[in-house]
Coordinates of all heavy atoms in Angstrom, one line a residue:
M1 N 19.7 1.6 -8.5 CA 18.6 2.3 -7.9 C 18.5 2.1 -6.4 O 18.7 0.9 -6.0 CB 17.3 1.9 -8.6 CG 16.1 2.8 -8.3 SD 14.6 2.2 -8.9 CE 14.8 2.7 -10.7
K2 N 18.3 3.1 -5.7 CA 18.1 3.0 -4.2 C 16.8 2.3 -3.9 O 15.8 2.4 -4.6 CB 18.2 4.3 -3.5 CG 19.6 5.0 -3.6 CD 19.7 6.2 -2.7 CE 18.9 7.4 -3.3 NZ 18.9 8.5 -2.5
S3 N 16.7 1.7 -2.7 CA 15.5 1.2 -2.2 C 15.4 1.2 -0.7 O 16.5 1.2 0.0 CB 15.2 -0.2 -2.8 OG 16.1 -1.1 -2.2
I4 N 14.2 1.2 -0.2 CA 14.0 1.2 1.3 C 13.2 0.0 1.7 O 12.2 -0.3 1.0 CB 13.3 2.5 1.7 CG1 14.4 3.6 1.8 CG2 12.6 2.4 3.1 CD1 13.8 5.0 2.2
A5 N 13.6 -0.7 2.8 CA 12.8 -1.8 3.3 C 11.7 -1.2 4.1 O 11.9 -0.6 5.2 CB 13.7 -2.7 4.1
A6 N 10.4 -1.3 3.6 CA 9.3 -0.8 4.4 C 8.3 -1.9 4.6 O 8.1 -2.8 3.8 CB 8.7 0.3 3.6
R7 N 7.6 -1.8 5.7 CA 6.6 -2.8 6.1 C 5.2 -2.3 5.7 O 4.9 -1.2 5.9 CB 6.7 -3.0 7.6 CG 6.1 -4.4 8.0 CD 6.4 -4.7 9.5 NE 6.0 -3.7 10.4 CZ 4.8 -3.6 10.9 NH1 3.9 -4.5 10.7 NH2 4.5 -2.6 11.7
C8 N 4.5 -3.3 5.1 CA 3.1 -3.0 4.7 C 2.2 -3.0 5.9 O 2.3 -3.9 6.8 CB 2.6 -4.0 3.7 SG 0.9 -3.8 3.3
L9 N 1.4 -1.9 6.1 CA 0.5 -1.8 7.2 C -0.6 -2.8 7.2 O -1.2 -3.2 8.2 CB -0.1 -0.4 7.2 CG 0.8 0.8 7.5 CD1 0.1 2.1 7.2 CD2 1.2 0.8 9.0
M10 N -0.9 -3.3 6.0 CA -2.1 -4.2 5.9 C -1.7 -5.6 6.1 O -2.3 -6.3 6.8 CB -2.7 -4.0 4.5 CG -3.2 -2.6 4.2 SD -4.6 -2.1 5.2 CE -5.9 -3.2 4.6
C11 N -0.7 -6.1 5.3 CA -0.3 -7.5 5.4 C 0.9 -7.8 6.3 O 1.2 -9.0 6.5 CB -0.2 -8.1 4.0 SG 1.2 -7.4 3.0
G12 N 1.6 -6.8 6.7 CA 2.7 -6.9 7.6 C 4.0 -7.5 6.9 O 5.0 -7.7 7.6
K13 N 4.0 -7.6 5.6 CA 5.2 -8.1 4.9 C 6.1 -6.9 4.6 O 5.7 -5.8 4.5 CB 4.8 -8.7 3.5 CG 4.1 -10.1 3.6 CD 3.8 -10.6 2.2 CE 2.8 -11.7 2.3 NZ 2.0 -11.8 1.1
T14 N 7.4 -7.2 4.6 CA 8.4 -6.2 4.3 C 8.7 -6.2 2.8 O 9.0 -7.3 2.2 CB 9.6 -6.4 5.2 OG1 9.2 -6.4 6.5 CG2 10.6 -5.3 4.9
F15 N 8.7 -5.1 2.2 CA 9.0 -4.9 0.8 C 10.2 -4.0 0.6 O 10.4 -3.0 1.4 CB 7.8 -4.4 0.0 CG 6.6 -5.3 0.0 CD1 5.7 -5.3 1.1 CD2 6.4 -6.2 -1.0 CE1 4.6 -6.1 1.1 CE2 5.3 -7.0 -1.0 CZ 4.4 -7.0 0.0
D16 N 10.9 -4.2 -0.5 CA 11.9 -3.2 -0.9 C 11.2 -2.2 -1.8 O 10.8 -2.6 -2.9 CB 13.1 -3.9 -1.6 CG 14.0 -4.6 -0.6 OD1 14.2 -4.1 0.5 OD2 14.6 -5.6 -1.0
V17 N 11.1 -1.0 -1.3 CA 10.4 0.0 -2.1 C 11.5 0.8 -2.9 O 12.4 1.4 -2.3 CB 9.7 1.0 -1.2 CG1 9.0 2.1 -2.0 CG2 8.6 0.2 -0.4
A18 N 11.4 0.7 -4.2 CA 12.4 1.4 -5.0 C 12.2 2.9 -5.1 O 11.2 3.4 -4.8 CB 12.4 0.8 -6.4
E19 N 13.3 3.5 -5.5 CA 13.4 5.0 -5.6 C 12.2 5.6 -6.4 O 11.8 6.7 -6.1 CB 14.7 5.3 -6.2 CG 15.2 6.7 -5.8 CD 16.6 6.9 -6.4 OE1 17.2 6.0 -7.0 OE2 17.2 8.0 -6.2
D20 N 11.8 4.9 -7.4 CA 10.7 5.5 -8.3 C 9.3 5.2 -7.8 O 8.3 5.6 -8.4 CB 10.9 5.0 -9.7 CG 10.7 3.5 -9.8 OD1 10.6 2.8 -8.8 OD2 10.8 2.9 -10.9
H21 N 9.2 4.6 -6.6 CA 7.8 4.4 -6.0 C 7.3 5.7 -5.6 O 8.0 6.6 -5.1 CB 7.9 3.4 -4.9 CG 6.6 2.9 -4.4 ND1 5.8 3.6 -3.5 CD2 5.9 1.8 -4.7 CE1 4.7 2.9 -3.3 NE2 4.7 1.8 -4.0
K22 N 5.9 5.9 -5.7 CA 5.3 7.2 -5.3 C 5.5 7.5 -3.9 O 5.5 8.7 -3.5 CB 3.9 7.2 -5.7 CG 3.0 6.1 -5.0 CD 1.5 6.2 -5.4 CE 0.7 5.1 -5.0 NZ 0.7 4.8 -3.6
D23 N 5.6 6.5 -3.0 CA 5.7 6.8 -1.6 C 7.2 6.8 -1.1 O 7.4 7.0 0.1 CB 5.0 5.7 -0.8 CG 3.5 5.8 -0.9 OD1 3.0 6.9 -1.2 OD2 2.8 4.7 -0.8
Y24 N 8.1 6.7 -2.0 CA 9.5 6.6 -1.6 C 10.0 7.8 -0.7 O 10.6 7.6 0.3 CB 10.4 6.4 -2.8 CG 11.9 6.3 -2.4 CD1 12.4 5.0 -2.1 CD2 12.8 7.4 -2.3 CE1 13.7 4.8 -1.7 CE2 14.1 7.2 -2.0 CZ 14.6 5.9 -1.7 OH 15.9 5.8 -1.3
S25 N 9.7 9.0 -1.2 CA 10.1 10.2 -0.5 C 9.5 10.3 0.9 O 10.2 10.7 1.9 CB 9.8 11.5 -1.3 OG 8.4 11.5 -1.5
K26 N 8.3 9.8 1.0 CA 7.6 9.8 2.3 C 8.4 8.8 3.3 O 8.6 9.1 4.4 CB 6.2 9.3 2.1 CG 5.2 10.1 2.9 CD 3.8 9.9 2.4 CE 3.3 8.5 2.3 NZ 1.9 8.4 1.7
L27 N 8.7 7.6 2.7 CA 9.4 6.6 3.5 C 10.8 7.0 3.9 O 11.2 6.7 5.0 CB 9.4 5.3 2.7 CG 8.1 4.7 2.3 CD1 8.3 3.5 1.3 CD2 7.4 4.2 3.6
E28 N 11.4 7.7 3.0 CA 12.8 8.1 3.3 C 12.9 9.0 4.5 O 13.9 9.0 5.3 CB 13.4 8.9 2.1 CG 14.9 8.9 2.0 CD 15.4 9.5 0.7 OE1 14.7 10.4 0.2 OE2 16.4 9.1 0.3
K29 N 11.8 9.8 4.8 CA 11.8 10.7 6.0 C 11.5 9.9 7.2 O 11.7 10.5 8.3 CB 10.7 11.7 5.8 CG 11.1 12.8 4.7 CD 9.9 13.8 4.5 CE 10.2 14.5 3.2 NZ 8.9 14.6 2.4
R30 N 11.1 8.7 7.1 CA 10.8 7.9 8.3 C 11.7 6.7 8.4 O 11.2 5.5 8.3 CB 9.3 7.5 8.3 CG 8.4 8.7 8.2 CD 7.0 8.2 8.0 NE 6.6 7.1 8.8 CZ 5.4 6.5 8.8 NH1 4.5 6.8 7.9 NH2 5.2 5.5 9.6
K31 N 12.9 6.9 8.5 CA 13.9 5.7 8.4 C 13.8 4.8 9.6 O 14.1 3.6 9.5 CB 15.3 6.3 8.3 CG 15.7 6.8 7.0 CD 17.2 6.8 6.8 CE 17.6 7.2 5.4 NZ 17.7 8.6 5.2
D32 N 13.3 5.3 10.7 CA 13.2 4.4 11.9 C 12.3 3.2 11.7 O 12.6 2.1 11.9 CB 12.7 5.2 13.1 CG 11.5 6.1 12.8 OD1 11.3 6.5 11.7 OD2 10.7 6.4 13.8
Q33 N 11.0 3.5 11.2 CA 10.1 2.4 10.9 C 9.2 2.8 9.7 O 8.1 3.2 9.9 CB 9.2 2.2 12.2 CG 8.3 1.0 12.1 CD 8.9 -0.3 11.8 OE1 9.7 -0.8 12.5 NE2 8.7 -0.9 10.6
P34 N 9.8 2.6 8.6 CA 9.0 3.0 7.4 C 7.9 2.1 7.1 O 8.1 0.8 7.1 CB 10.0 3.0 6.2 CG 11.3 2.7 6.8 CD 11.1 2.1 8.2
T35 N 6.7 2.6 7.0 CA 5.5 1.8 6.7 C 4.8 2.3 5.5 O 4.8 3.5 5.3 CB 4.5 1.7 7.9 OG1 4.3 3.0 8.3 CG2 5.1 0.9 9.0
F36 N 4.2 1.5 4.7 CA 3.4 1.9 3.6 C 2.3 0.8 3.3 O 2.2 -0.1 4.1 CB 4.3 2.2 2.4 CG 4.7 0.9 1.6 CD1 4.5 0.8 0.3 CD2 5.3 -0.2 2.3 CE1 4.9 -0.3 -0.4 CE2 5.6 -1.3 1.6 CZ 5.5 -1.4 0.3
V37 N 1.5 1.1 2.3 CA 0.6 0.0 1.9 C 1.0 -0.5 0.6 O 1.2 0.3 -0.4 CB -0.8 0.6 1.8 CG1 -1.8 -0.4 1.3 CG2 -1.3 1.1 3.2
C38 N 1.3 -1.8 0.5 CA 1.9 -2.4 -0.7 C 0.8 -2.3 -1.9 O -0.4 -2.1 -1.6 CB 2.4 -3.8 -0.5 SG 1.1 -5.0 -0.3
D39 N 1.3 -2.6 -3.0 CA 0.5 -2.5 -4.2 C -0.7 -3.4 -4.1 O -1.9 -3.1 -4.5 CB 1.3 -2.8 -5.5 CG 2.2 -1.7 -5.8 OD1 2.1 -0.6 -5.3 OD2 3.1 -1.9 -6.6
M40 N -0.4 -4.6 -3.6 CA -1.5 -5.6 -3.5 C -2.6 -5.2 -2.6 O -3.8 -5.3 -2.9 CB -0.9 -7.0 -3.0 CG -1.0 -8.1 -4.0 SD 0.2 -9.4 -3.7 CE 0.1 -9.7 -2.0
C41 N -2.2 -4.7 -1.4 CA -3.2 -4.3 -0.4 C -3.9 -3.0 -0.9 O -5.1 -2.8 -0.7 CB -2.5 -4.1 0.9 SG -1.9 -5.7 1.6
G42 N -3.1 -2.1 -1.5 CA -3.7 -0.9 -2.0 C -4.8 -1.2 -3.1 O -5.8 -0.6 -3.1
Y43 N -4.5 -2.2 -3.9 CA -5.5 -2.6 -4.9 C -6.7 -3.1 -4.2 O -7.9 -2.8 -4.6 CB -4.9 -3.7 -5.8 CG -5.9 -4.2 -6.8 CD1 -6.1 -3.5 -8.0 CD2 -6.5 -5.4 -6.6 CE1 -7.1 -4.0 -8.9 CE2 -7.4 -5.9 -7.5 CZ -7.7 -5.2 -8.6 OH -8.6 -5.7 -9.5
K44 N -6.5 -4.0 -3.1 CA -7.6 -4.6 -2.4 C -8.5 -3.5 -1.8 O -9.7 -3.6 -1.8 CB -7.0 -5.5 -1.3 CG -7.9 -6.7 -1.1 CD -7.1 -7.7 -0.1 CE -8.0 -7.9 1.1 NZ -7.2 -8.6 2.1
I45 N -7.9 -2.5 -1.2 CA -8.6 -1.4 -0.5 C -9.5 -0.7 -1.5 O -10.6 -0.4 -1.3 CB -7.6 -0.4 0.2 CG1 -6.9 -1.1 1.4 CG2 -8.4 0.8 0.6 CD1 -5.7 -0.3 1.9
R46 N -8.9 -0.4 -2.7 CA -9.6 0.3 -3.7 C -10.8 -0.5 -4.2 O -11.9 0.0 -4.4 CB -8.7 0.7 -4.9 CG -7.9 2.0 -4.6 CD -7.3 2.5 -5.9 NE -6.5 1.6 -6.6 CZ -5.2 1.4 -6.3 NH1 -4.6 2.1 -5.4 NH2 -4.5 0.5 -7.0
Y47 N -10.5 -1.8 -4.4 CA -11.5 -2.7 -4.9 C -12.7 -2.8 -3.9 O -13.8 -2.7 -4.3 CB -10.9 -4.1 -5.1 CG -11.9 -5.1 -5.6 CD1 -12.3 -5.2 -6.9 CD2 -12.5 -6.0 -4.7 CE1 -13.2 -6.1 -7.3 CE2 -13.4 -7.0 -5.1 CZ -13.8 -7.0 -6.4 OH -14.7 -7.9 -6.9
E48 N -12.4 -2.9 -2.6 CA -13.4 -3.0 -1.6 C -14.2 -1.7 -1.5 O -15.4 -1.7 -1.2 CB -12.8 -3.4 -0.2 CG -12.6 -4.9 -0.2 CD -11.7 -5.4 1.0 OE1 -11.5 -4.6 1.9 OE2 -11.3 -6.5 1.0
A49 N -13.5 -0.6 -1.6 CA -14.2 0.7 -1.6 C -15.2 0.8 -2.7 O -16.3 1.3 -2.6 CB -13.2 1.8 -1.6
D50 N -14.7 0.3 -3.9 CA -15.6 0.3 -5.1 C -16.8 -0.5 -4.9 O -17.9 -0.1 -5.2 CB -14.9 -0.2 -6.3 CG -14.0 0.9 -6.9 OD1 -14.0 2.0 -6.4 OD2 -13.3 0.5 -7.9
E51 N -16.6 -1.7 -4.2 CA -17.7 -2.6 -4.0 C -18.7 -2.0 -3.1 O -19.9 -2.2 -3.2 CB -17.2 -3.9 -3.4 CG -16.4 -4.8 -4.4 CD -17.4 -5.4 -5.4 OE1 -18.2 -6.2 -5.1 OE2 -17.2 -5.0 -6.6
E52 N -18.3 -1.2 -2.1 CA -19.2 -0.6 -1.1 C -20.0 0.5 -1.8 O -21.1 0.8 -1.3 CB -18.4 -0.1 0.1 CG -18.5 -1.1 1.2 CD -17.5 -0.8 2.3 OE1 -17.5 0.4 2.7 OE2 -16.9 -1.7 2.8
Q53 N -19.5 1.1 -2.8 CA -20.2 2.1 -3.5 C -21.4 1.5 -4.3 O -22.5 2.2 -4.4 CB -19.3 2.8 -4.6 CG -18.1 3.5 -4.0 CD -18.4 4.8 -3.3 OE1 -19.1 5.6 -3.9 NE2 -17.8 5.0 -2.1
K54 N -21.3 0.3 -4.7 CA -22.3 -0.3 -5.5 C -23.5 -0.7 -4.6 O -23.3 -1.1 -3.4 CB -21.8 -1.6 -6.1 CG -20.8 -1.3 -7.2 CD -20.2 -2.7 -7.8 CE -19.0 -2.4 -8.7 NZ -18.3 -3.7 -8.9
P55 N -24.7 -0.7 -5.1 CA -25.8 -1.1 -4.3 C -25.7 -2.6 -4.0 O -25.3 -3.4 -4.9 CB -27.0 -0.8 -5.1 CG -26.5 -0.5 -6.5 CD -25.1 -0.2 -6.4
K56 N -26.1 -3.1 -2.8 CA -26.0 -4.5 -2.5 C -27.0 -5.3 -3.3 O -28.2 -4.9 -3.4 CB -26.2 -4.7 -1.0 CG -25.2 -4.0 -0.1 CD -24.1 -5.1 0.3 CE -23.1 -4.5 1.3 NZ -22.4 -3.4 0.8
K57 N -26.5 -6.4 -3.8 CA -27.5 -7.3 -4.5 C -28.2 -8.1 -3.5 O -27.6 -8.6 -2.6 CB -26.7 -8.2 -5.5 CG -26.2 -7.5 -6.7 CD -25.4 -8.5 -7.6 CE -24.6 -7.8 -8.6 NZ -23.5 -8.6 -9.1
P58 N -29.5 -8.3 -3.7 CA -30.2 -9.2 -2.8 C -29.8 -10.6 -3.0 O -29.6 -11.1 -4.1 CB -31.7 -9.0 -3.2 CG -31.7 -8.4 -4.5 CD -30.4 -7.7 -4.7
M59 N -29.5 -11.3 -1.9 CA -29.1 -12.7 -2.0 C -30.2 -13.7 -2.2 O -31.3 -13.5 -1.6 CB -28.3 -13.1 -0.7 CG -27.0 -12.4 -0.5 SD -25.9 -12.5 -1.8 CE -24.9 -13.9 -1.2
Ligands
ZN101 ZN1 0.4 -5.5 1.9

């Protein structure tokens, strides 16, 4: 399977993105400096977005 070394915009780590990744075709078009958001950071963003939807609990 082919893969592309892409840097995560959030944590700055470089990951090998495999051919079956949803962002692979996007990364393939940007061979100079492929960037994406890794699964871990993507999860974090979604989690934080969910948290902001919720009403704040009084401390
Ligand atoms: Zn990341």
Side-chain angles (χ1 to χ4, degrees):
M1 195 186 282
K2 289 190 288 178
S3 70
I4 279 180
R7 201 165 56 87
C8 173
L9 290 167
M10 300 292 293
C11 63
K13 285 180 198 156
T14 303
F15 295 88
D16 283 328
V17 179
E19 206 174 357
D20 61 353
H21 192 278
K22 61 177 168 61
D23 289 336
Y24 183 86
S25 56
K26 221 160 58 182
L27 297 170
E28 203 175 31
K29 289 178 195 133
R30 303 172 45 184
K31 282 203 176 84
D32 48 332
Q33 183 59 63
T35 50
F36 79 130
V37 176
C38 74
D39 290 345
M40 242 158 49
C41 294
Y43 176 81
K44 216 172 120 188
I45 293 165
R46 278 198 301 275
Y47 178 79
E48 277 169 12
D50 280 357
E51 286 293 294
E52 261 169 46
Q53 302 283 314
K54 291 176 193 166
K56 295 261 186 301
K57 283 179 198 159
M59 295 302 266

